[in-house]
Amino acid sequence: MNSINLSLQLPPLSLYVHIPWCVQKCPYCDFNSHSQQGELPQAQYIETLLQDLQQDLHYVQGRTLHSIFIGGGTPSLFDARHMRTLLEGVAAQIPFADDIEITMEANPGTLEHDDFAAYRLAGITRLSIGVQSFASDKLNRLGRIHNRDEAQTAAKLAGNAGYQSFNLDLMHGLPNQTLKQALADIDTAASFQPPHLSWYQLTIEPNTLFHSRPPQLPDDEALWEIYRQGQQRLSKLGYQQYEISAYAKPGFQCRHNLNYWQFGDYLGIGCGAHGKVTLPGSDQIVRTVKIKHPKGYLSAGQYTFDTTEVKLEDRALEYLMNRLRLMTPIPKAEFEARTGLSAAEVADGMNRGAQRGLVSISDSHWTLTDKGHFFVNDLLSQFC
């Protein structure tokens, strides 16, 4: 690539906070999570998170926080009092945008449900509840600690707790799952009127129990039919697909995830948290990774494990790997602002993609075709 340098522009800034503990490790999970052993060091961990953030303040560069996402692990193992301390401590270091979105992940089996209101009062504006399924046999096979009744109770109470929005996480392609069962999960979730649904296929990842002891999953034909009819059902229920596995009622897309996929900036604090920041003054984009294990993280004093630069020749591919998750057209101006490269740098690859029917091209945008949404990796291969 004969790179044409333009000016990098500062994108919106988000914050990811990682809470690494779970009651138990799910057999399909490859995230950085650790089974709870005894009482959690809540106060110490919150204090360490704020110290970690302080060391990253030079990356803020005068911006306000666009969104915060508290993920895990299981953040709802921490009580609302400590969440308030966390958010007040973050606000003391970085100003919040007036319309900031603050999401916390919660699992139905890890909280007293009257805490939903307490988390809202602590400053959380949006919940993301890891239901996965409303079928007890599927939940047992997935190693979840909640049952169908607890999932339904959590979904109902989340809708009554006064949040600006809430999300229900659902998985499909579960062990021995039928089309009827997959659609029933969608219908049950929609009955609680969540503004947002995440609906994604179970995949078997390395270094998980399911990888070493694979369950019996639906075959490819059954998976395709679940996906096809699930898409139709979600659309009929009023959910617009805006990302590969995310569906929302109009106006309720997850702002935090949109910033990720639009190649925005985010600080990452907590065990194993990743960050990505733009440094226009030095024409750099850098990625950060924090110390992975809780014990090492809590005792470190310096929390960054690694910092690597996204090289100029890799920026186009990295941008597209993120941006192509979204269903919306890609503005060429956004590509140039976020990568510091001219749109002409990827013209040949986009033209090859257009010849294969994967993308359409206008003066201002690139737009994936229906075929392109199913063959994203084929398009990405044009830029490797």
Side-chain angles (χ1 to χ4, degrees):
M1 181 185 295
N2 297 316
S3 299
I4 302 171
N5 286 299
L6 302 175
S7 296
L8 278 170
Q9 298 178 23
L10 278 177
L13 179 67
S14 297
L15 173 67
Y16 175 74
V17 181
H18 192 69
I19 308 291
W21 291 282
C22 290
V23 173
Q24 64 184 25
K25 184 85 169 179
C26 294
Y28 58 85
C29 178
D30 68 338
F31 294 152
N32 180 30
S33 59
H34 304 265
S35 296
Q36 178 181 354
Q37 303 293 330
E39 186 175 352
L40 294 177
Q42 295 191 50
Q44 182 188 6
Y45 193 72
I46 296 298
E47 180 181 358
T48 305
L49 286 172
L50 295 174
Q51 292 170 353
D52 184 354
L53 180 61
Q54 188 173 34
Q55 293 186 5
D56 279 356
L57 290 181
H58 59 288
Y59 292 134
V60 175
Q61 302 170 93
R63 289 174 286 184
T64 58
L65 272 182
H66 165 90
S67 63
I68 299 174
F69 195 100
I70 305 169
T74 307
S76 52
L77 288 173
F78 276 38
D79 60 44
R81 174 171 58 93
H82 287 97
M83 286 298 172
R84 178 187 293 274
T85 300
L86 170 66
L87 294 177
E88 289 177 347
V90 173
Q93 297 188 57
I94 309 176
F96 286 6
D98 291 340
D99 60 346
I100 189 171
E101 173 194 271
I102 304 176
T103 302
M104 186 189 79
E105 291 183 335
N107 285 337
T110 60
L111 46 79
E112 298 294 334
H113 295 310
D114 60 1
D115 279 352
F116 278 123
Y119 287 118
R120 180 177 58 80
L121 292 173
I124 305 298
T125 68
R126 181 178 181 274
L127 279 180
S128 182
I129 304 174
V131 170
Q132 314 310 354
S133 176
F134 288 97
S136 288
D137 63 317
K138 296 296 184 280
L139 292 169
N140 288 335
R141 190 67 184 90
L142 291 173
R144 306 297 290 177
I145 64 171
H146 64 274
N147 59 33
R148 177 190 61 190
D149 292 342
E150 289 172 320
Q152 291 182 345
T153 299
K156 180 179 179 180
L157 292 177
N160 294 331
Y163 285 90
Q164 294 177 13
S165 182
F166 71 98
N167 168 66
L168 298 181
D169 255 359
L170 291 178
M171 299 174 73
H172 62 89
L174 304 180
N176 300 308
Q177 187 180 48
T178 65
L179 170 63
K180 182 178 179 180
Q181 290 171 333
L183 295 180
D185 272 346
I186 291 175
D187 289 340
T188 302
S191 72
F192 299 106
Q193 299 184 330
H196 191 285
L197 282 172
S198 297
W199 190 64
Y200 51 94
Q201 183 179 319
L202 170 65
T203 56
I204 306 301
E205 302 292 346
N207 302 314
T208 65
L209 183 60
F210 272 3
H211 189 263
S212 59
R213 302 174 188 174
Q216 182 65 47
L217 301 182
D219 61 29
D220 287 346
E221 184 175 347
L223 287 172
W224 168 248
E225 198 61 20
I226 288 171
Y227 178 77
R228 186 183 69 82
Q229 293 202 34
Q231 292 271 37
Q232 293 175 354
R233 184 67 58 88
L234 286 160
S235 178
K236 185 176 180 180
L237 290 165
Y239 291 94
Q240 299 174 353
Q241 184 183 20
Y242 69 94
E243 187 255 340
I244 288 176
S245 59
Y247 304 77
K249 296 293 181 69
F252 287 97
Q253 295 90 343
C254 177
R255 294 182 64 216
H256 189 85
N257 286 346
L258 282 174
N259 194 39
Y260 276 161
W261 307 135
Q262 290 170 337
F263 213 50
D265 280 2
Y266 52 96
L267 307 178
I269 61 174
C271 298
H274 290 241
K276 175 258 174 185
V277 288
T278 303
L279 304 172
S282 57
D283 190 33
Q284 289 182 302
I285 299 172
V286 298
R287 295 194 178 276
T288 61
V289 183
K290 301 302 171 68
I291 294 171
K292 186 174 183 179
H293 197 276
K295 185 176 180 180
Y297 178 79
L298 286 167
S299 62
Q302 297 287 334
Y303 307 104
T304 301
F305 170 74
D306 192 26
T307 302
T308 57
E309 182 179 358
V310 180
K311 296 179 180 178
L312 193 64
E313 60 268 26
D314 297 329
R315 289 182 190 175
L317 179 60
E318 289 229 11
Y319 170 88
L320 291 170
M321 287 175 64
N322 285 273
R323 191 57 174 78
L324 288 172
R325 288 185 63 96
L326 297 178
M327 311 305 288
T328 51
I330 303 173
K332 295 179 181 180
E334 180 187 275
F335 171 85
E336 293 183 340
R338 301 290 164 90
T339 65
L341 300 171
S342 168
E345 295 296 317
V346 293
D348 288 346
M350 288 297 181
N351 287 334
R352 289 192 295 270
Q355 291 168 5
R356 300 179 61 182
L358 303 177
V359 63
S360 63
I361 304 171
S362 72
D363 289 343
S364 59
H365 289 77
W366 301 295
T367 304
L368 279 180
T369 63
D370 290 342
K371 178 181 177 182
H373 283 298
F374 288 105
F375 295 97
V376 169
N377 287 339
D378 285 2
L379 180 59
L380 288 173
S381 69
Q382 306 302 314
F383 307 99
C384 295

